[in-house]
Structure formats: C-alpha cells, structure tokens
Amino acid sequence: DRDWDAGLRPLRAFLDRVPPGPRLADLRDEVGALALRLEGGRDEQERLDEARRSLERFRRLRVRAQLRDTEIFGAGEYGNVASTREAAREALDVFEAGLPGPLSPAEKAEVEQGRYELLLIRAEAVSRPIPGEDPRAQAERALALLDRAASLHAPTWAYHLLRAGCLQKKGDAPAAEAERKAAEATPATDAFGHVLKGQELYRRRRWLAAIAEFEVALQIEPEQYRAQLLLAVCLLQVQKFNQAKANLTSCLQRDPKAVGLYLLRGYAYGEEGNARQKVAREASPRLANLEAEAEAHFDAAEADYRQAQELDPDPADLYALLVNRGALRLRRHRLDDAVGDFTRAISLKPDQVAAYITLGQAYRRHGRVDLAIEQFTRAIRLRPEMAGLYRGRALARLDRGRPSAEALDEAIRDLSEAIKLGQAGDPESAADRARRARLHLLAGRPREALADCEDALRAAPDDPDALALRVRSLQELKRFDEVIGACDEALARGKPSAELLELRGLARAGREEYSGAIQDYTQSLALDPGRPTALIQRGWAYLVSDAPRLALADFDEAIRIAPDEPDAYNGRGFARVLHGQHRLAVADAEESLRHGQPAARTSYNAARVYARAAVAATAEAPRRGLGQIQVAERYHDRAHALIRATLERLPAAERGAFWRDVVQTDPALASIRQSPKFSQLANQIGRMAK
C-alpha cells in the first residue's frame, strides 16, 4: 500500500525485542531485509514526491513565463522584457541541475519540451535590449541561449526565425537569410511544433495566423494545455472575449491556482462588459437589459481579480492586477477606488510606467488636468523614448477647453516629440501629425498645418481627420479652388461628410458664391443637424444674401446648441441690427466678448455690430429725439475701441494689411470711416504697424 512508515514501526519494534544469538539470526536477517526494503521505498517515495513538487513548480513558472511573454498585461515596454526574462529564468532554474530519476518518461519529455520553449522565450526577450544594454552583446547572449535549446530538441520553425533575428541584429545579414530559409524548410509536424509557431506568430502580432496554429495543435492533441492557454490570449487580442473566457475557464479547471489565468479571465470579463455597456448607451429601450449584463460582467471581473489576490501573487502579477482592476473601476465611475489601485501599483513598482499612464487617463476623464499632466510627466522621466507618453500629455494639455497660446505650443512640442520617436509610416504617427495640424490651425499657422496634413495623408491616404484638416488649412490660406477640389475628391471617395460639406460651403462663400455655400451648409445640417458651426456660417451667408430673418433663426439655434460660441452672438447681433433692434444687437456683441479669451475676429465682428447699430440709432433720432444721437455716438466710440483692440490682438506684421484690405473696405464700417476719431485711429494704426 506504499504506507512505508506504518510498515516500519512494527518491524523496528520486533527487531528491538529479538535477542542476539544464532538461533534467531535468520529471522533477524529476514526482518532486517524487509525493513531495508521499506526504508528504500520510503526514500524513493520522498525523491518522487520532491520530483513531483519540482515538476509542479516548473509547470506553474512555465505558465507564468508564457503569460509574461504574451505582454497582454504589461509594465511598459521594457518592464515587460525584464519581467519575461526573469520569469523564464526562474522556470529554467528548477531543473538546471538535471532531471530527477523518479520522473516518468512522459514527465521527462514534458520537462525537456518546456525547457526548450523557455529557452526560446528567454532568448527572444534577451534579444530586445533594455536602455543601457549593447544590442550586439544582447544578440550574442540570445544566440547562446538558442544553442542550449538546440541540445534539447530538433530545431523548429520558431527557433530558426529567432536565430535569424539575432543574427540580423549582429549585422550578419547572410547568416540571417540562411536561417530564414531554414525556417521555411522546417514545417511544424506535431502539436508542440504548432504551439511554438503560433507563439512566434503572436509575437509578430499576426493574431489570426497564430490562432490557426493553436487550433491545429488542439486537433492533434486536444488536451494540449499551452495551445489552449495561448489560443485564449489570441482571442483576447481579436476581441472574441466570450470564446477566450471559455478557454480560460477550461485552463483554470486544470490549474486552479494560476494567478495569471484569473487575471486574464478578469480582463476578458471586463472587456466584454465594456462592449455591452457601449452598446447599451446607444441602444433602444428594448435593449436596456444590456446595462445590467455589463454590470454582471464587471462583477465577474472583480471576482476574478479578488481570487487572484487571494492566491498571494508575486509583485509583477500584483502590479498587473492593480493596473487592470483600476481601469475596470474607472469604467464603473469609481474614481477613488481606481486611483487607489493605481497609486498602490505605483508604490509597488515606481519604475514602471503603466500605472502612471492609466492614472493620467483617469484624471483626464474626470477633468483633473494638472494631475493628469503630472502623471504623464513622471512616466516620461522614466521612459523618455516612448512616443505614446508625449501623445498622452499633449492630449491632457488640451483638456482645458479653449487652450491658451502657451498650452497650444506645449502640446505641439509634445506631439513633435512623439512624431520624432515614432516610426515612419506608422498609423499612430500619422494620427499625431493630424493632431499637430489641428493645433497649428488653432494657433493660426495654416502653412505648418497643411504640411502636417500632407505628411499624414502619405501614410494614411483615406484618414478622414487628415483630409478634413487639409481642407481647413487650404481654407485658412484662402486657396478656395483647391478647397473645393479637395472636398469634391474626398466626398467622391468616401461617405457623405457633414464636415467636408461645411468646408466646401466656406470655400464657396470665400469666392462669394453664397447660393452654393448655403446649399452646402444645408446639406451638412441634413447629415448632422446639431453642427453649430454650419448654422453660424449659413447665418452669415443669409445675411450677405439679404435674408436676415433666416439668418436670425440659424443664429438662435446655434446659441441654443452651443451657448459659448462667440461668433453666434455677433451673427445674431448683426441680424438684429438689420431689423432695427440696435439695443439687443449691441447686447449680443458684448455677450460675444464674454465667452473665452476674445480673439481678433470676435472683437472685429463686435465692432461691425456697433457701427451698424450707430446707423440704426441715428435713423431713430427724428422719431425719438436727440437722445438717439448720443446713443449713436456711444456706439461709434465703442466701435472705435473694438477696432483698436482687434489691431492690438493681431501680429504687428499683419496690422497694416488688415487695416488697408479689411477695415477700410468693409461696408459695415461706412458710418464711422468719415469721423475724426477714425482718422486719429488710422494715424495710430500706422504707428502700430511700424
């Protein structure tokens, strides 16, 4: 029954009682031999138990190394690399001194395969140098690990590709090409080979190809645990969360103490809940139950994270748990709980960036801009070579509503750094150029914006943001023919776009084709009735087309939708003054100046309203008395002050041209151009322009 100690106790008691002498020597020898057999069995059992404990530890550490290698939970780019190296090393150390004899042939084969896989994992991680490491030296170290792997197992497709990568980093292109050809000539022939191939495809972000390899491995060997685990990880990457959960649940039935599996399943539950929550927010009442389903998934995710925490995770797993649970709690609008998780993660691993990033995103979502910028800045100090950190800080800088000129310049510098650190042709880098183009436009630099848009479109020709921003840049440069051509081309290639139709309307208005402009604005509003800018632009076009009542309706609607839009108030003021409502008109002009930092355009349009209001007040004088003349004079004075403010807000180099080409030719200002104050202002402007 293998109950060695129970057998030894009576034998030892018997031997203690047998007296010495020849008569019982045979019996004593027989019992002694039996006791030795029992002791040997017990020692063998202890060796077997120790071997099995080592095997279980090896299996657990191997799974951890596999999960770290997937990088689905990370501590930032280099944190992942270091964590993967360490996990693979720990697993390899379990049997570094050799395989214990008591293991069965099947168990020994499992260990040999596992060590081969772990050497490949570690070699790949070592081949990616951390800052401060010499890339060539790291490639040499990785090749030495691959040489060890070759002594355990016949070279596989993944082995040859890893060697090719290392040799390329060493600068040995011919040898690297030879290894790539060797990979092509080494097809996977068993479940293990397909797992290794899938793992390497996963590293190359070829999710669907990796899934196919893992599925083949499971067809060959349905109980292939690693194939099932890595298939689940791939399914998470392609957002098939329900299938991933099913695979992870199956893995947990076989390995219920694997912390990483609970983390992965918790992540899957959270992402599925997030997907349902998004649909619920846009759904009709008959789908209202989706919100409850989302909450149920979030609860299940919390339960998995709680279970993982109870299993006493190591610092790396605990860090991943806190970061991902914090992100989940942020989605549930539990800001204090989320910040608590992120803060604890930072205290656990202050040299990793993931918690700083997610904490920064949490503060952004809740409008705490300064704290968000602080988190991204701390992350940048740790990883100044990561483009995404500068991008995150730039976006945080813009969260203050109407950004100041200083905030715009800071955000532009951050995006410039992100672009410099990004890779040419990368979609995210193209998006950064489009973002920078938008900021250049806000800062009044359309030429720089246009250059960024052209660069972005070379990388992503159909990007809608870059297309629209290119048109806006051309619009600012008053290249109206190009604007119309670009809009026509973009509209012909893609879906109808409210923004592009509005931009084409602006270009037509710039060419004084107001009927066509009104038609474009109307089509834009048919696609998106809530566009305040299209309403405002159509309102101005109606004013120029002698349709002030239609204009007034557009400006009223724009103010209802966007009550902080200054141009809508000036437009309504101009429409009102054309109806003789000069007091309401100047009230609108003053209201326009109270929304945000007044721009030159805003103060100039307010001056135009006051100038026309002076005409309306003067017209009332015969009917309402000489007091209206005094009102008109006050309006004139205010118009002069606003024109002066406009010129002061313009760069000195632009003032002369603006005065000559705009102020002196604008029909709205005709009533004040003959006044002595206007002449005095002209002289002052001449000195300002110099």
Side-chain angles (χ1 to χ4, degrees):
D1 289 338
R2 297 181 177 275
D3 194 348
W4 314 112
D5 288 334
L8 280 168
R9 280 193 296 272
L11 290 178
R12 285 172 175 159
F14 182 81
L15 287 171
D16 288 342
R17 294 174 61 192
V18 175
R23 281 199 312 125
L24 297 177
D26 291 343
L27 179 58
R28 196 166 45 245
D29 291 344
E30 182 181 352
V31 172
L34 182 56
L36 287 173
R37 285 175 59 197
L38 289 168
E39 288 175 351
R42 183 188 60 187
D43 293 344
E44 181 63 26
Q45 185 66 48
E46 288 176 355
R47 287 194 295 273
L48 179 59
D49 290 344
E50 180 60 31
R52 291 278 162 74
R53 283 192 292 272
S54 295
L55 180 60
E56 286 306 309
R57 174 174 164 76
F58 176 79
R59 287 169 173 164
R60 187 172 66 256
L61 293 174
R62 181 184 181 185
V63 169
R64 190 174 70 177
Q66 289 169 331
L67 290 174
R68 298 276 167 80
D69 185 45
T70 64
E71 299 186 354
I72 197 162
F73 297 129
E77 182 181 356
Y78 301 119
N80 282 331
V81 173
S83 179
T84 302
R85 290 181 188 177
E86 179 62 18
R89 184 196 62 75
E90 279 192 65
L92 285 165
D93 284 350
V94 174
F95 291 117
E96 190 65 25
L99 300 184
L103 292 181
S104 70
E107 289 168 335
K108 290 179 180 178
E110 177 190 347
V111 172
E112 291 294 294
Q113 277 193 350
R115 285 176 61 78
Y116 179 83
E117 178 190 14
L118 287 162
L119 284 164
L120 266 56
I121 288 173
R122 191 168 180 216
E124 197 278 334
V126 166
S127 72
R128 286 186 286 156
I130 293 172
E133 294 179 345
D134 177 30
R136 286 176 175 266
Q138 293 305 110
E140 286 284 4
R141 285 186 60 204
L143 287 168
L145 290 166
L146 291 172
D147 289 341
R148 286 175 59 191
S151 69
L152 298 174
H153 192 282
T156 58
W157 182 87
Y159 166 88
H160 286 301
L161 276 190
L162 283 172
R163 277 190 63 84
C166 293
L167 290 165
Q168 193 73 45
K169 289 171 184 174
K170 277 186 61 182
D172 193 344
E177 181 60 27
E179 289 291 347
R180 281 190 282 270
K181 289 180 178 177
E184 293 173 8
T186 312
T189 56
D190 57 10
F192 181 61
H194 285 287
V195 168
L196 292 178
K197 187 170 183 178
Q199 201 161 294
E200 187 60 28
L201 288 166
Y202 177 93
R203 288 195 192 104
R204 294 163 188 263
R205 306 179 71 81
R206 294 173 58 186
W207 319 123
L208 296 179
I211 286 171
E213 292 298 326
F214 296 135
E215 287 176 340
V216 171
L218 288 168
Q219 288 172 0
I220 298 170
E221 193 178 318
E223 297 300 313
Q224 235 288 354
Y225 175 84
R226 288 170 297 288
Q228 199 167 44
L229 168 61
L230 296 172
L231 175 59
V233 173
C234 280
L235 290 168
L236 288 176
Q237 295 286 9
V238 296
Q239 300 185 2
K240 294 185 177 180
F241 303 118
N242 277 329
Q243 294 180 42
K245 283 187 298 180
N247 272 40
L248 291 166
T249 299
S250 178
C251 290
L252 276 165
Q253 288 170 350
R254 296 173 58 183
D255 194 358
K257 293 186 178 180
V259 171
L261 295 180
Y262 288 104
L263 294 181
L264 283 172
R265 195 174 66 175
Y267 175 80
Y269 272 120
E271 290 302 304
E272 181 66 22
N274 189 45
R276 290 170 189 256
Q277 190 180 68
K278 285 180 179 177
V279 175
R281 287 171 181 166
E282 302 166 1
S284 61
R286 63 189 176 84
L287 295 177
N289 63 315
L290 284 175
E291 188 70 44
E293 291 181 16
E295 286 300 314
H297 279 79
F298 290 150
D299 287 341
E302 291 264 10
D304 271 346
Y305 290 138
R306 189 163 50 251
Q307 182 65 42
Q309 199 164 4
E310 289 172 0
L311 289 170
D312 193 23
D314 68 11
D317 282 336
L318 181 57
Y319 183 86
L321 186 157
L322 292 167
V323 169
N324 285 280
R325 189 175 66 185
L328 172 72
R329 290 173 167 177
L330 188 59
R331 288 174 183 160
R332 304 185 84 175
H333 307 291
R334 292 164 53 185
L335 178 62
D336 290 342
D337 289 339
V339 169
D341 276 343
F342 297 141
T343 304
R344 186 179 170 198
I346 288 169
S347 67
L348 189 68
K349 285 185 171 290
D351 60 337
Q352 304 298 346
V353 299
Y356 294 113
I357 295 170
T358 44
L359 182 54
Q361 292 166 345
Y363 284 137
R364 277 193 67 202
R365 186 174 298 184
H366 289 266
R368 298 164 75 172
V369 176
D370 291 338
L371 288 173
I373 292 171
E374 179 187 344
Q375 302 314 311
F376 286 111
T377 301
R378 293 173 72 184
I380 287 168
R381 291 194 195 105
L382 290 168
R383 297 287 181 266
E385 71 290 337
M386 290 181 69
L389 300 179
Y390 297 93
R391 181 183 308 119
R393 189 169 69 177
L395 296 175
R397 293 188 192 282
L398 301 175
D399 284 343
R400 292 191 175 98
R402 293 180 181 274
S404 65
E406 182 183 5
L408 281 175
D409 287 341
E410 289 174 337
I412 287 170
R413 282 195 294 272
D414 274 342
L415 287 174
S416 299
E417 193 66 25
I419 291 165
K420 183 177 77 174
L421 293 169
Q423 296 183 349
D426 178 57
E428 198 60 58
S429 184
D432 283 337
R433 290 185 184 278
R435 293 182 183 106
R436 191 172 66 178
R438 189 180 301 278
L439 300 187
H440 278 312
L441 277 177
L442 287 173
R445 296 191 284 266
R447 293 187 185 280
E448 290 88 338
L450 182 60
D452 269 341
C453 290
E454 301 289 3
D455 286 341
L457 289 169
R458 274 190 282 273
D462 295 320
D463 181 79
D465 286 339
L467 285 168
L469 287 165
R470 179 175 178 269
V471 174
R472 285 192 178 280
S473 303
L474 292 167
Q475 177 74 30
E476 290 292 322
L477 293 166
K478 302 188 184 307
R479 290 157 60 173
F480 301 129
D481 291 343
E482 291 179 67
V483 171
I484 293 170
C487 286
D488 289 343
E489 180 185 351
L491 288 166
R493 287 196 310 186
K495 296 179 181 179
S497 163
E499 183 177 11
L500 289 173
L501 286 164
E502 181 186 330
L503 290 170
R504 191 172 68 182
L506 277 169
R508 285 178 169 168
R511 297 202 311 189
E512 300 184 1
E513 298 171 1
Y514 297 110
S515 176
I518 289 170
Q519 184 178 359
D520 276 340
Y521 297 140
T522 302
Q523 290 182 33
S524 174
L525 288 164
L527 292 172
D528 184 0
R531 288 184 72 80
T533 51
L535 285 163
I536 292 167
Q537 296 302 333
R538 190 173 68 174
W540 285 108
Y542 278 139
L543 286 175
V544 176
S545 304
D546 294 324
R549 290 190 182 280
L550 293 174
L552 189 58
D554 274 353
F555 291 128
D556 278 338
E557 180 64 9
I559 289 169
R560 186 188 69 80
I561 295 171
D564 290 327
E565 186 57 57
D567 210 20
Y569 292 100
N570 272 326
R572 188 171 70 175
F574 211 91
R576 281 174 164 173
V577 82
L578 292 179
H579 284 89
Q581 301 169 349
H582 58 86
R583 289 180 176 82
L584 290 175
V586 298
D588 273 338
E590 291 298 329
E591 186 67 25
S592 76
L593 299 169
R594 283 192 279 270
H595 292 278
Q597 185 69 28
R601 172 189 174 90
T602 303
S603 55
Y604 181 70
N605 278 331
R608 297 175 80 237
V609 172
Y610 268 101
R612 291 302 297 259
V615 174
T618 301
E620 289 182 353
R623 180 165 49 88
R624 300 188 62 179
L626 295 177
Q628 292 303 107
I629 299 298
Q630 295 174 338
V631 171
E633 288 177 353
R634 288 200 300 272
Y635 289 167
H636 277 153
D637 290 345
R638 183 62 173 146
H640 285 123
L642 287 168
I643 292 172
R644 182 180 291 108
T646 299
L647 272 292
E648 289 171 351
R649 289 180 180 123
L650 288 171
E654 298 177 14
R655 291 168 185 166
F658 183 81
W659 179 264
R660 182 184 65 250
D661 299 336
V662 179
V663 177
Q664 289 189 324
T665 61
D666 190 342
L669 302 180
S671 68
I672 65 171
R673 271 199 290 269
Q674 304 306 317
S675 69
K677 288 183 179 179
F678 191 85
S679 299
Q680 293 173 6
L681 183 59
N683 292 331
Q684 292 172 6
I685 296 306
R687 291 193 295 273
M688 288 170 63
K690 293 177 182 178

